[in-house]
Amino acid sequence: MLKSSKSEKETSQILVELCWEYRFVNADTARQYGINALELARKNGFQEEEVQALHNIGITHEAQGNYEQALDF
């Protein structure tokens, strides 16, 4: 998890962005960022970040050809 003076909302947004940027570089790393963003968003009720994290996690699965898992997200 990112450690800084950033708010939890900013941290969740950064994690969502990292997930997106890493999706084709390293899907496993991207997915971990996405899962962390998803957990943080759900914990704090950040609906927009939750939706973005779910979408991005799905994209990481799609990038690896895991279409069933992609559809789950």
Side-chain angles (χ1 to χ4, degrees):
M1 189 61 74
L2 296 174
K3 304 286 185 208
S4 70
S5 61
K6 301 220 179 280
S7 72
E8 288 192 329
K9 185 159 185 106
E10 289 173 311
T11 301
S12 67
Q13 292 168 338
I14 290 167
L15 289 167
V16 164
E17 186 64 27
L18 285 168
C19 179
W20 182 254
E21 293 300 326
Y22 271 81
R23 70 195 183 278
F24 296 123
V25 175
N26 186 325
D28 292 326
T29 299
R31 190 173 307 115
Q32 192 55 56
Y33 286 132
I35 290 168
N36 290 341
L38 181 60
E39 290 171 354
L40 191 58
R42 285 182 171 168
K43 175 182 143 196
N44 291 288
F46 304 146
Q47 292 181 348
E48 185 175 329
E49 286 75 17
E50 180 178 353
V51 169
Q52 290 175 335
L54 287 167
H55 174 264
N56 291 356
I57 293 167
I59 294 296
T60 67
H61 282 292
E62 186 262 339
Q64 291 181 315
N66 303 324
Y67 302 114
E68 289 285 324
Q69 291 95 333
L71 290 172
D72 288 342
F73 287 91

